[in-house]
Amino acid sequence: MSQIVTRFAPSPTGYLHIGGARTALFSWAYARKLGGKMLLRIEDTDRERSTDAAVDAIKDGLSWLGLQWDGDAISQFARAHRHAEVAAELVAKGLAYKCYCSPEELTQMREEARAAGRAPRYNGHWRDRDATEAPDGVAPVIRIKAPQSGEIIVNDHVQGKVVFKTENLDDFIILRSDGTPTYMHAVVVDDHDMGVTHIIRGDDHLTNAARQIVIYNAMGWTVPEMAHIPLIHGPDGAKLSKRHGALGVDAYRHMGYLPEALRNYLARLGWSHDDDEIFSTDQMIEWFSLDALNKGAARFDFVKARKHQRDLYPRGRPQISVQGDGQYSGRSRTHG
Ligand code: GLU
């Protein structure tokens, strides 16, 4: 295979949280192991929620953790023209089309589907309509023609073979009426143009993968390898909250964690190598493989995280500030 290219693609709407840091760590370790590159793409198309402070916090967090990305960070927003160009190409090829439905028509469509016991999906109203039928003064969205029968298969390094029935996919929007791309479309165009060979990200994106494959196929592009990793839960098995440790990486830094200890602990959240608990980053890189990522949700545990640091630095340097049952109650830097 040609050079391995992974990427970390955070949305800059807050600090670098522990789940994002782990995704970045795996993407980085995989690239380092195979002499490849890890690219950083800032998914800043949501102009209302994206802030420069969050971009800085993410970059600071990655740098402090020692997860250096290759080349300059790429702004997704800056590539909007390219996203529109690919959408236009799909329309020209007859693989996507302009849809002029009003919000009221779409609501009615969903209600009719619900009443008939079907999933509330777009019904393909403009799929085969002639452009001459377009209403005046309405800016259309662009929808991709999703396959109407068959299956989309995601061969995932963590989840295995995941089959999506195409009847559950509708002709989804790739370009909004103001010409901006949807998340689904921008991610595919960027991953392709950046030469990404391996996508490692949270399993909350697994269903998106099926839709993204529709776009790859329409463009005739190779689908990257994928590894969707289970999200991190708290020690009680519940969704990770601040109390459990869903904090910005900078909060760990202020608590006194050292980057190597946090890397070691994060690596163990969802990846394993035999029974090894304490290892150096070089060992992690040497041992790392996508197929050893765990399928079960990892549990974040402050007690274990502190133990990793103590074991890596037996002379107890530096102290980690602990309060109550180990919760951190200081302020974490957020955006804005
Ligand atoms: N920007 C997305 C997020 O922060 C990630 C998209 C992706 O990795 O494909 O969840």
Side-chain angles (χ1 to χ4, degrees), residues 7 9-11 43 183 187 201 205:
R7 48 53 157 200
S11 306
E43 303 215 314
Y183 155 76
V187 165
R201 61 184 173 192
H205 288 291

Side-chain angles (χ1 to χ4, degrees), residues 7 55 102 158 244:
R7 48 53 157 200
V55 174
S102 65
V158 181
H244 292 130

Side-chain angles (χ1 to χ4, degrees), residues 215-290:
I215 305 176
Y216 279 104
N217 290 346
M219 286 303 290
W221 291 340
T222 306
V223 180
E225 302 273 321
M226 295 188 178
H228 286 93
I229 43 181
L231 301 184
I232 304 174
H233 288 192
D236 53 4
K239 192 170 172 284
L240 199 64
S241 69
K242 281 213 163 154
R243 184 175 58 83
H244 292 130
L247 303 166
V249 162
D250 62 320
Y252 291 88
R253 177 180 185 172
H254 292 134
M255 276 185 272
Y257 283 91
L258 292 175
E260 171 130 26
L262 200 55
R263 281 199 299 270
N264 181 182
Y265 182 63
L266 287 177
R268 288 291 295 111
L269 284 177
W271 174 77
S272 54
H273 176 263
D274 300 336
D275 291 332
D276 294 306
E277 283 287 343
I278 304 301
F279 39 81
S280 69
T281 302
D282 284 347
Q283 281 171 315
M284 177 198 179
I285 292 171
E286 187 188 327
W287 296 335
F288 193 76
S289 82
L290 296 180

Side-chain angles (χ1 to χ4, degrees), residues 197-214:
T197 59
H198 290 72
I199 294 176
I200 303 169
R201 61 184 173 192
D203 68 3
D204 48 337
H205 288 291
L206 184 62
T207 51
N208 292 335
R211 289 197 164 80
Q212 290 167 356
I213 289 173
V214 171

